[in-house]
Amino acid sequence: MYILGIETSCDETAASIIKADKKTGKVIVLSNIISSQIEIHQKYGGVVPEVAAREHVLNILPVIDEALSKAKISNKKLDLIAITKGPGLITSLMTGMETVRTLAFAWDKPVIEVNHIEGHIYSNFINPESKINFPAIILTVSGGHTNLVLMDKTRKIKIIGETLDDAAGEAFDKGSKMMELGYPGGPIISKYAEQYQQKNVLNNVSDIKLPRPMLNSNNNNFSFSGLKTALLYQLQKDDSWTKRIDEYCFEYQQAIIDVLIGKTIKAAQKTGAKTVMLSGGVSANRALRACLKTAVNQKLTKVNFLVPAHEYTTDNAAMIATAGFFTSLTGKLTNFTKLRVNPSLQLK
Ligand code: KG4
Ligand code: ZN
């Protein structure tokens, strides 16, 4: 079946066409178009919701058109439209939802509403490199969320851990702001951290010591606000911090990674997980991907480790279409075509 996915929960306007096989569960991405607003929001140091919504309005139809033409199919071939219903910025979500409502009505197509976090989780189901065995633990780390999710063999999901304050991506973004490095913080901090690692190949530790909050707590939850405050205090004490940016970035990133990995491994051990997956915007982080892979191989036995291809880590619509495909196999579709005017009420 052919599915059009649409994602507008934050500052990316995205549309994708996938071809999915109900019998084998195989998903092929035919197009994955993303119009990013990063440059527009950079001057404000973060996403401005009202500006994001206005940009979505301008971009959404051209992005959908491009997704269809790149996939070389017409809308008549579509079997389903998948749309992000939340969580996200309300005005951004509304743009996507209203567009889908209209298209579903005009094209006479069923719709599946997808949870954004579920979308990130299913980014691992696009051409997985190895088999997904259940139960699976998924660490979902993005700008707005940090969750440990348990998925059983019926693909039912349960959140078993979450952040009590800031999300991991938010910690990257706010840390970057404190160090006056720009937005979004994750890719910038990771670039400086890599520079530090390259300069210190033999001794990959830092003299700066930041805490690993809740690493040893007796639950699956996270907290990053204390780490952020610890960074602020260190910067305030250090007159020469601007000369040690790469080292600060290395230690700050490593503190986040250590906590994420420690908690994920413990949760996998407790639940007897057979697969560990990583997803969300922060899963683009090369050090996190490498460190989690090493930890899974060293600390867990016979457990597969999966990460999405780079293009499916930050917000995209291929993951929404894929989540829509799998959830539509058992879930409820929304019928916007009911909005059609009753013919008996039409003016003669
Ligand atoms: O999933 P996403 O695109 O949007 C949300 O659902 O929030 O995630 C965006 C987040 C931002 O906080 C950004 O700083 C972070 O993902 N991010 C990264 C990297 N690339 C993006 N964090 C760490 N390392 C990266 N390479
Ligand atoms: Zn996201």
Side-chain angles (χ1 to χ4, degrees):
M1 63 193 287
Y2 290 93
I3 304 172
L4 163 65
I6 297 176
E7 154 65 35
T8 64
S9 68
C10 191
D11 59 340
E12 255 93 32
T13 319
S16 163
I17 308 289
I18 64 163
K19 187 177 175 190
D21 188 324
K22 276 189 181 173
K23 275 199 204 114
T24 61
K26 199 167 170 217
V27 168
I28 299 169
V29 178
L30 302 179
S31 63
N32 184 34
I33 310 299
I34 304 171
S35 168
S36 172
Q37 304 175 13
I38 283 181
E39 276 181 29
I40 296 168
H41 298 283
Q42 256 162 357
K43 57 176 174 284
Y44 306 108
V47 179
V48 182
E50 179 59 28
V51 176
R54 283 165 193 258
E55 285 299 311
H56 284 310
V57 172
L58 296 176
N59 295 335
I60 191 146
L61 291 178
V63 164
I64 293 171
D65 270 347
E66 199 180 332
L68 284 166
S69 77
K70 187 138 189 244
K72 297 194 176 69
I73 68 163
S74 100
N75 65 60
K76 294 195 179 66
K77 271 198 127 180
L78 294 175
D79 299 291
L80 182 65
I81 304 177
I83 172 71
T84 306
K85 69 170 174 208
L89 302 174
I90 187 70
T91 43
S92 291
L93 290 164
M94 277 167 67
T95 316
M97 190 55 91
E98 286 309 309
T99 307
V100 165
R101 214 183 254 273
T102 313
L103 291 181
F105 176 64
W107 294 346
D108 202 11
K109 305 289 178 193
V111 171
I112 181 103
E113 297 176 44
V114 174
N115 177 292
H116 183 77
I117 306 301
E118 234 172 306
H120 278 301
I121 291 170
Y122 276 98
S123 60
N124 279 292
F125 287 65
I126 304 170
N127 304 329
E129 275 170 25
S130 51
K131 203 166 169 275
I132 301 175
N133 297 319
F134 297 98
I137 285 282
I138 307 108
L139 172 65
T140 305
V141 268
S142 70
H145 304 272
T146 296
N147 293 122
L148 273 169
V149 177
L150 183 65
M151 185 184 257
D152 70 16
K153 62 175 188 287
T154 66
R155 289 191 305 273
K156 212 166 117 210
I157 59 171
K158 187 174 164 204
I159 294 180
I160 58 165
E162 62 194 344
T163 180
L164 304 179
D165 39 57
D166 292 350
E170 199 178 350
F172 273 104
D173 295 338
K174 289 181 174 167
S176 175
K177 204 168 184 175
M178 271 179 218
M179 293 184 274
E180 298 164 14
L181 298 177
Y183 171 84
I188 305 172
I189 289 185
S190 101
K191 200 184 84 204
Y192 280 104
E194 280 174 15
Q195 276 173 20
Y196 181 79
Q197 271 179 301
Q198 277 156 13
K199 278 195 268 171
N200 300 276
V201 189
L202 296 178
N203 183 21
N204 254 315
V205 284
S206 155
D207 289 337
I208 302 159
K209 295 284 171 245
L210 291 171
R212 271 61 177 159
M214 289 181 74
L215 180 58
N216 297 314
S217 70
N218 217 358
N219 55 42
N220 298 317
N221 293 332
F222 304 88
S223 165
F224 292 106
S225 67
L227 173 63
K228 198 179 61 186
T229 313
L231 173 66
L232 179 68
Y233 289 160
Q234 289 267 6
L235 295 173
Q236 283 172 346
K237 274 195 296 190
D238 184 354
D239 290 338
S240 61
W241 69 268
T242 48
K243 297 193 189 87
R244 299 170 76 194
I245 286 287
D246 56 354
E247 190 177 356
Y248 272 98
C249 287
F250 171 79
E251 173 63 7
Y252 190 67
Q253 171 174 285
Q254 202 53 49
I256 296 173
I257 290 178
D258 286 348
V259 176
L260 292 175
I261 291 181
K263 293 278 178 169
T264 306
I265 297 293
K266 262 193 235 161
Q269 284 164 337
K270 270 192 268 178
T271 55
K274 296 191 174 126
T275 305
V276 170
M277 301 187 237
L278 182 59
S279 71
V282 181
S283 72
N285 188 284
R286 278 201 284 258
L288 173 62
R289 290 161 85 102
C291 293
L292 186 52
K293 185 175 182 183
T294 306
V296 169
N297 292 339
Q298 285 177 351
K299 301 203 168 133
L300 306 171
T301 34
K302 290 196 186 153
V303 173
N304 290 340
F305 175 64
L306 293 181
V307 278
H310 199 273
E311 65 204 293
Y312 308 128
T313 53
T314 46
D315 289 349
N316 66 88
M319 70 182 195
I320 300 301
T322 305
F325 164 61
F326 283 102
T327 50
S328 72
L329 301 176
T330 50
K332 196 166 153 274
L333 302 184
T334 311
N335 186 356
F336 287 122
T337 57
K338 271 198 198 135
L339 292 174
R340 234 178 250 289
V341 178
N342 182 339
S344 65
L345 297 178
Q346 276 173 353
L347 293 175
K348 292 266 162 6

